[in-house]
């Protein structure tokens, strides 16, 4: 097995829920040693559900290849252990409540005095300054604050994105920020402070609708599963189900009219000359396309779309994802060990010369005694010390 590019890097994380665990799991995928510090009750994501043979689905996703250490960070002994871990770490990541690490004496200024080469990463809902700095933040609420719900859903009802997109965005920027900081430290030899907020991460992803509204005079409307600013782009009913497809330019539009729905006159209809006009006349456009698509089966429609080189997809559920022929053909599944046995998991999406690390998901406190021993600190005689 080829070691990943972060082999030899140690990450200590005071993490919970999604954003920080997502960032550190990706660092672990690249070979970093990730020491996850938990309270005696554990990361509360351990209890979100019991769907994976008793383990939570979120925790299963976000915590492979980590070591779990249980510390009471309110006790002097726990803080001593935390300081010892940070003194030896390359990266420290935390997404505790605002101000919590500062009260422990482990804010960025203090931690960098302990370890000048440390990369100190704080993830929060709204940032460490400003009027929202102490406001609680959860994914749906940040989706609201970032304006995402205003453009997602139907005309009648806003709808949240079905995954924790604000947490994921923040975790991705924390992950890429750490990689950038490690490169810079290799040049300067100095650690640094990184700060990521969920709101700012998701706001960056909202830049297209922001520009559209800021300079166009009105925001994109909520259009369900159809694209708000490109047409035709979205779901269409066939005789036996739904097909999604996207027409991206005028060349594709002509091929769609000629080869998919066999309506050559439609290609020269002035109402539909150019994407902007098609969007403006979306109702008229759909009134023509919808009956033509309903005359085809899903298989017939997708075959015609493929032949015309027009992007298309079928609507899959989770069972469809699990059995996706492309993922299977490319060998994207691997078993990961866990306290409840092996769980089938996706290989990280970057295909590279090194092997992605996919080590076990830790039981709560499974590594406490061993790691405290490495630090030369007292250990208990049982498996979950809470010093």
């Amino acid at each position: 097995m080829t070691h990943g590019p972060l082999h030899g890097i140690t990450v200590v994380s005071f993490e919970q829920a999604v954003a920080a665990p997502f960032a550190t799991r990706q660092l672990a995928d690249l070979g970093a040693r990730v020491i996850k510090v938990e309270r005696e009750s554990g990361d509360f994501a351990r209890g979100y559900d019991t769907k994976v043979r008793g383990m939570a689905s979120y925790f299963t996703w976000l915590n492979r290849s980590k070591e779990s250490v249980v510390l009471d960070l309110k006790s002097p002994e726990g803080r001593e252990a935390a300081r010892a871990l940070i003194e030896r770490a390359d990266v420290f990541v935390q997404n505790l409540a605002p101000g919590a690490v500062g009260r422990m004496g482990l804010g960025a200024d203090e931690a960098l005095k302990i370890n000048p080469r440390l990369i100190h990463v704080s993830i929060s809902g709204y940032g460490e300054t400003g009027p929202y700095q102490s406001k609680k933040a959860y994914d749906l609420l940040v989706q609201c604050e970032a304006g995402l719900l205003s453009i997602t859903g139907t005309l009648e009802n806003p709808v949240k994105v079905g995954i924790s997109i604000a947490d994921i965005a923040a975790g991705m920027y924390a992950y890429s920020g750490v990689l950038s900081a490690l490169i810079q430290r290799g040049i300067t030899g100095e650690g640094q402070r990184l700060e990521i907020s969920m709101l700012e991460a998701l706001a960056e992803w909202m830049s297209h609708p922001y520009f559209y509204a800021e300079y166009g005079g009105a925001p994109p409307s909520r259009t369900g599963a159809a694209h708000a600013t490109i047409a035709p782009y979205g779901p269409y009913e066939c005789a036996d189900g739904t097909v999604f497809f996207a027409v991206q330019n005028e060349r594709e539009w002509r091929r769609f009219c000629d080869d998919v729905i066999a309506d050559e006159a439609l290609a020269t209809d002035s109402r539909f000359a150019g994407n902007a006009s098609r969007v403006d006349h979306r109702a008229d456009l759909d009134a023509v396309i919808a009956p033509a698509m309903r005359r085809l089966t899903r298989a017939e429609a997708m075959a015609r779309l493929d032949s015309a080189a027009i992007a298309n997809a079928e609507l899959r559920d989770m069972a469809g994802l699990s059995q996706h022929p492309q993922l299977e053909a490319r060998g994207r599944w691997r078993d990961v060990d866990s306290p409840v046995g092996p769980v089938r998991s996706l290989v990280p999406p970057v295909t590279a010369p090194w092997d992605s690390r996919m080590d076990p998901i830790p039981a709560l406190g499974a590594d406490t005694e061993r790691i405290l021993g490495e630090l030369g600190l007292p250990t208990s005689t049982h498996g979950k010390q809470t010093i």
Side-chain angles (χ1 to χ4, degrees):
M1 180 174 182
T2 304
H3 288 308
L6 296 187
H7 178 70
I9 296 294
T10 297
V11 179
V12 173
S13 190
F14 294 2
E15 61 181 28
Q16 56 193 3
V18 177
F22 186 48
T24 60
R25 197 221 73 193
Q26 293 180 94
L27 298 172
D29 291 345
L30 294 180
R33 182 188 190 188
V34 176
I35 299 172
K36 180 184 181 78
V37 176
E38 302 186 69
R39 57 177 65 86
E40 187 173 14
S41 58
D43 177 348
F44 53 74
R46 287 182 180 271
Y48 277 167
D49 61 59
T50 57
K51 298 299 184 182
V52 186
R53 303 194 199 109
M55 286 196 311
S57 50
Y58 268 110
F59 195 86
T60 301
W61 167 41
L62 297 169
N63 290 284
R64 66 174 178 245
S65 305
K66 299 181 183 179
E67 301 164 68
S68 173
V69 175
V70 171
L71 299 178
D72 177 5
L73 294 172
K74 294 181 180 180
S75 73
E77 296 84 3
R79 293 188 183 189
E80 179 189 1
R83 288 175 64 89
L85 284 169
I86 288 170
E87 186 176 8
R88 294 161 173 78
D90 296 284
V91 180
F92 173 53
V93 179
Q94 69 88 19
N95 70 331
L96 303 184
V101 294
R103 291 189 294 272
M104 297 174 197
L106 296 174
D109 292 341
E110 296 86 355
L112 284 164
K113 289 177 183 176
I114 297 169
N115 180 354
R117 288 177 54 81
L118 183 70
I119 295 163
H120 188 287
V121 185
S122 292
I123 304 172
S124 63
Y126 297 106
E128 297 182 0
T129 59
Y132 279 38
Q133 63 180 299
S134 299
K135 192 175 179 72
K136 284 189 173 181
Y138 300 112
D139 193 88
L140 169 60
L141 309 182
V142 176
Q143 289 188 38
C144 292
E145 292 284 355
L148 180 56
L149 265 70
S150 75
I151 63 165
T152 306
T154 65
L155 284 173
E156 297 78 19
N157 297 300
V159 176
K160 78 177 186 69
V161 175
I163 58 173
S164 299
I165 191 168
D167 283 299
I168 292 168
M172 286 299 299
Y173 284 114
Y175 167 59
S176 61
V178 167
L179 298 181
S180 301
L182 286 170
I183 292 171
Q184 187 174 45
R185 191 185 71 173
I187 298 168
T188 67
E190 298 177 353
Q192 55 194 285
R193 170 183 185 161
L194 304 180
E195 183 196 347
I196 300 96
S197 91
M198 293 165 63
L199 175 63
E200 290 160 14
L202 192 56
E204 161 64 21
W205 289 9
M206 291 292 294
S207 290
H208 156 249
Y210 154 73
F211 282 121
Y212 186 98
E214 186 80 1
Y215 297 98
S221 60
R222 293 195 297 268
T223 54
H227 198 289
T229 60
I230 302 174
Y233 187 162
Y236 287 88
E237 292 300 315
C238 297
D240 58 348
T242 305
V243 167
F244 285 65
F245 63 85
V247 171
Q248 294 284 302
N249 54 54
E250 296 316 292
R251 184 176 64 256
E252 290 185 0
W253 170 241
R254 288 190 295 273
R255 288 203 303 264
F256 173 77
C257 296
D258 295 349
D259 301 337
V260 178
I261 61 173
D263 188 344
E264 295 181 8
L266 192 63
T268 57
D269 190 316
S270 60
R271 294 172 298 170
F272 311 131
N275 177 68
S277 186
R278 289 194 292 274
V279 172
D280 289 341
H281 296 92
R282 187 191 298 270
D284 292 342
L285 180 70
D286 287 346
V288 177
I289 294 176
M293 295 301 293
R294 282 196 294 268
R295 289 193 289 269
L296 304 173
T297 66
R298 257 190 330 171
E300 289 170 339
M302 294 180 75
R304 290 189 184 189
L305 290 162
D306 283 338
S307 179
I310 294 172
N312 63 87
E314 62 179 281
L315 179 61
R316 293 178 180 269
D317 58 14
M318 290 304 95
L321 172 65
S322 177
Q323 302 303 317
H324 201 295
Q326 183 71 0
L327 296 175
E328 185 66 31
R330 286 176 52 79
R332 304 312 295 181
W333 297 100
R334 191 181 303 170
D335 282 346
V336 171
D337 201 6
S338 80
V340 297
V343 291
R344 181 170 173 260
S345 305
L346 280 165
V347 175
V350 176
T351 301
W354 57 81
D355 294 323
S356 294
R357 183 178 170 211
M358 298 184 70
D359 289 346
I361 300 160
L364 176 61
D367 306 288
T368 302
E369 291 202 8
R370 176 173 51 78
I371 290 174
L372 291 178
E374 291 177 14
L375 299 173
L377 296 172
T379 62
S380 69
T381 57
H382 54 84
K384 294 196 296 181
Q385 177 165 339
T386 57
I387 65 171

